[in-house]
Amino acid sequence: MHTMEEVYEVEVSIPVKITNIPANVVITTGITDSIKVTIKDKGFDLLSYIDNDDERVPVEVDFKKYTSEDFHSIVAVNSLARQVMPRFKKTNVVSIKPDRFEFYYNYGRNKKVPVMLAGKISPAEMYFLSKVHFSPDSVLVYATKDVLDKVESVPIKPVMIDNFKDTITLTTELAQRRGMKIVPEKVRLTLYPDIYSEATIDVPITCNNIPSGKILRTFPSKAKVVIVVGMRQFKEMSVHDFTVTADYNEIVSNPDKHTCHLTLRTTPVNVYRAHIVDDEVDYLIEE
């Protein structure tokens, strides 16, 4: 009982609410949702404030009093003190924090931009990240014209995921920026890992620079190309995604050579260590 007669300092949180917001106004950066009031008094008196629901009634910021030409409003905490001080009667108010509030707003101007991955994603050994999916994959950004002109995408808050082999789905927040309101504030992120595998594909051989009326026949007519690729991607590939060529000008410049050289010209993205098994083949030029 003696301790309740001693003097203490405690911090009380009071909500803050913006009022009188016109229907066509969007607050693009929310005002701090509460102020922290440090009060000093005897223990018995402090309990009455801590347990009093009246102290949780919001302090109001009248939007119409703080409009500005640059859509950036600053509210000095002193202007709110008149609402705060009467609540504590004879109790000593030591401090009110923060010393000011600020918020941004506009009249509905927005821009739709894609969501971007951020952080460090490291699949397990012999695996790689084959696909990233966001739901939704784009968001609306509300801000002033100058800000919107510079925004091309919105990253998520950085995620750190290491040594995974299976598909991962999680809800993640978007990285908030000063003076911007992002809708929605969260997205679903799905990461699809895939395992590297070696595969062989038979690719038809074509000829570059061959004159009209001539035909190059190679033996064999297809080249075996070995690739390292994810299994999921391999199933979606076609031989038409690869190009293996012989060059007519190179052939006629070496008339004593009985084979022609093959070159792997194109491969799909995310294919690694692609090479032709036998890059010299027999050939015949027909008129």
Side-chain angles (χ1 to χ4, degrees), residues 84-241:
V84 174
M85 301 300 288
R87 301 188 185 192
F88 298 101
K89 303 173 183 176
K90 297 180 180 180
T91 295
N92 181 29
V93 176
V94 178
S95 65
I96 303 176
K97 297 179 181 178
D99 60 357
R100 72 176 192 174
F101 300 95
E102 58 183 328
F103 61 93
Y104 295 81
Y105 64 95
N106 76 1
Y107 291 93
R109 186 186 294 273
N110 65 77
K111 180 180 181 180
K112 191 174 185 178
V113 297
V115 178
M116 301 297 292
L117 184 65
K120 183 179 180 182
I121 311 297
S122 302
E125 186 176 359
M126 291 304 296
Y127 284 77
F128 69 102
L129 185 61
S130 67
K131 182 180 178 182
V132 176
H133 177 71
F134 290 106
S135 180
D137 60 3
S138 57
V139 294
L140 282 179
V141 176
Y142 291 84
T144 60
K145 182 180 184 304
D146 290 343
V147 173
L148 291 178
D149 287 343
K150 299 175 183 178
V151 175
E152 299 300 331
S153 63
V154 174
I156 63 171
K157 285 189 175 180
V159 293
M160 305 295 173
I161 303 175
D162 188 37
N163 198 38
F164 66 102
K165 299 179 180 179
D166 299 317
T167 299
I168 293 177
T169 299
L170 54 93
T171 298
T172 180
E173 295 182 355
L174 297 169
Q176 298 294 325
R177 302 184 191 180
R178 189 180 183 89
M180 288 172 37
K181 178 180 178 64
I182 303 171
V183 179
E185 297 179 348
K186 298 179 181 180
V187 296
R188 293 281 286 177
L189 165 64
T190 304
L191 304 173
Y192 297 89
D194 201 355
I195 189 168
Y196 285 116
S197 180
E198 187 173 272
T200 301
I201 189 167
D202 292 327
V203 181
I205 300 170
T206 59
C207 186
N208 287 342
N209 302 313
I210 191 165
S212 178
K214 294 182 181 291
I215 299 174
L216 174 70
R217 299 194 185 279
T218 61
F219 307 94
S221 61
K222 297 180 179 181
K224 290 188 177 299
V225 177
V226 176
I227 59 176
V228 175
V229 67
M231 291 304 298
R232 183 183 293 110
Q233 291 172 319
F234 180 69
K235 293 176 182 178
E236 298 173 354
M237 285 181 184
S238 164
V239 294
H240 302 296
D241 297 324

Side-chain angles (χ1 to χ4, degrees), residues 253-269:
S253 66
N254 296 281
D256 297 330
K257 188 177 179 182
H258 300 293
T259 60
C260 65
H261 179 71
L262 303 180
T263 301
L264 180 60
R265 296 286 181 186
T266 59
T267 61
V269 295

Side-chain angles (χ1 to χ4, degrees), residues 53-99:
D53 288 339
D54 290 339
E55 305 312 322
R56 297 181 177 84
V57 175
V59 170
E60 295 184 351
V61 174
D62 188 341
F63 174 85
K64 293 181 179 179
K65 292 182 178 179
Y66 295 99
T67 55
S68 63
E69 292 183 357
D70 61 356
F71 308 104
H72 176 203
S73 299
I74 298 176
V75 184
V77 74
N78 291 339
S79 66
L80 302 180
R82 289 188 297 272
Q83 298 182 54
V84 174
M85 301 300 288
R87 301 188 185 192
F88 298 101
K89 303 173 183 176
K90 297 180 180 180
T91 295
N92 181 29
V93 176
V94 178
S95 65
I96 303 176
K97 297 179 181 178
D99 60 357

